[in-house]
Structures are given as structure tokens and as C-alpha cells.
Amino acid sequence: SPERFVVGDGVARAEDRIETLLTSERDVATLEMRTIDDDGEETHNETKITVMTDEDGQFEGTAGVIRDITERTERKRELERYETILQAVGDPVYTLDDEGRLTVVNDAMEELSGYDRDELVGEHIALLMTDGDVADGEALIAELLADEDRTNGTFEMALVTADGREIPCENHVALLPTDDDQFRGTAGVIRDITDRKQRERQLEQ
């Protein structure tokens, strides 16, 4: 019986999927379930189920394929934890891939830039920066890649908002970690320094 190795309500949920297949035109149903082996170790799986029938179309049983997705599930949970941390930081936070495209932004980044998350993710960072600041950022990244003892640095930039305003900011940039010494992209924390710039101008005057 599947109950011997399926954990929790996996069997009941599979039975619900089978019932759906029998009463609809769908051929395959997919669900996630946990299983446990003889040593007591749990595995997260993705299961695809299809219904088998005889020549008269009568139900004879099911066939299924089980794929171990334990690592994928753990990565998903880890990403969810990182997302929680990003939101708690308070300052605008982003990550870029190795080609400079935005992959992650937090709520504070949406608020400062005036763009929705869907408008930012997948776009090049040049959407939010002037050409000169993009060049400065690339130069800093090149310095970090060339120095084994440095993984982060800071430069000043103007964040270009959705309505065209330029907000003076300080960008704290760090290289994303990697196991194979290949450049994977960067993470950044942006701080609005408008007040500081105003004080500096007042002092100069």
C-alpha cells in the first residue's frame, strides 16, 4: 500500500487527482508529495499520474513517475528566507545577473524607483542609472573581480525614477557568491543621500 512510504496526506491528494482524471479530459495530473524510505529518510517528490483503462474504458489502475525534487524544494525555501531578509532590510536592495539584468528587487526598491517589480525584473540596470553611472558601476565590478581580497565596494550614482527624476544615491555593491569562480552577478543596497548632498552644498556655500 502507498501508505507505507507516502508521508502525510499525499495518498489522499493523489486520489483526488485520480478522481479528477476520471471525470475530465485531462490525461496527466501532477502533485508534490513526501516519501520515506526504509532508513526513515524523507524525500520531496514531484509525481505525475495517469489513469489506465481496459478496452471498454473501465478503470484498471494508475501509472506514475516520481521525481526527487528535494534539492529544488530546499532552494525554494532558502530563496523565501532570503526574500524575507531583503524585505526587512528597509533600504532598496537588488540583484543582477552576469549581464546586468535585474533578478530580484525588494519593496523599498519599487517605492524609490516608482517602478513595479514586474517592470524591473528582467530589465538591464541601465533603466535606473545614467550611462556614466553604469560605466562607474562596471568599473567597480571589474576592480572587485581583479582583487581576490575584495568582494564589495561603494560608489555614488543618480537613481533615475520612472518619472525621470534623478535621486542622488550611494550604491553598496557586492559580488554574488560562487563555487566555480565564475562571475554570477552582483547584489546591491542603495541609500538615498539627498539630505547629505544638500548639507554638503550648504557647507561649500
Side-chain angles (χ1 to χ4, degrees), residues 33-35 42-46 67-70 73 77:
M33 63 170 60
R34 292 175 296 140
T35 58
E42 284 193 13
T43 302
H44 290 261
N45 305 284
E46 181 182 75
R67 176 175 297 163
D68 184 348
I69 60 168
T70 302
T73 302
R77 289 176 177 172

Side-chain angles (χ1 to χ4, degrees), residues 33-180:
M33 63 170 60
R34 292 175 296 140
T35 58
I36 188 167
D37 63 19
D38 289 340
D39 296 326
E41 183 177 351
E42 284 193 13
T43 302
H44 290 261
N45 305 284
E46 181 182 75
T47 303
K48 295 183 181 294
I49 304 172
T50 188
V51 170
M52 297 187 297
T53 58
D54 60 19
E55 295 178 354
D56 298 324
Q58 298 299 310
F59 176 64
E60 283 194 322
T62 59
V65 178
I66 297 178
R67 176 175 297 163
D68 184 348
I69 60 168
T70 302
E71 290 186 6
R72 189 177 80 185
T73 302
E74 290 175 351
R75 286 197 301 271
K76 181 180 178 182
R77 289 176 177 172
E78 186 174 0
L79 287 172
E80 290 173 348
R81 288 195 292 269
Y82 285 143
E83 179 71 16
T84 300
I85 293 171
L86 288 178
Q87 299 300 352
V89 168
D91 289 321
V93 178
Y94 69 90
T95 62
L96 304 178
D97 64 14
D98 58 346
E99 295 184 354
R101 293 188 298 261
L102 290 155
T103 54
V104 174
V105 295
N106 66 353
D107 292 346
M109 180 61 115
E110 289 185 85
E111 183 177 350
L112 182 65
S113 70
Y115 288 100
D116 292 333
R117 182 177 280 102
D118 293 341
E119 296 176 294
L120 292 172
V121 173
E123 292 292 331
H124 194 273
I125 189 62
L127 176 70
L128 300 174
M129 298 171 65
T130 65
D131 292 343
D133 288 338
V134 170
D136 289 344
E138 291 174 345
L140 174 58
I141 293 170
E143 291 178 10
L144 297 178
L145 290 171
D147 189 342
E148 295 181 355
D149 297 326
R150 290 182 65 195
T151 59
N152 59 81
T154 302
F155 72 103
E156 291 187 4
M157 54 167 276
L159 186 137
V160 182
T161 66
D163 58 7
R165 292 181 298 116
E166 294 188 6
I167 301 175
C169 293
E170 193 173 65
N171 194 343
H172 302 270
V173 178
L175 301 177
L176 290 177
T178 177
D179 296 327
D180 54 9

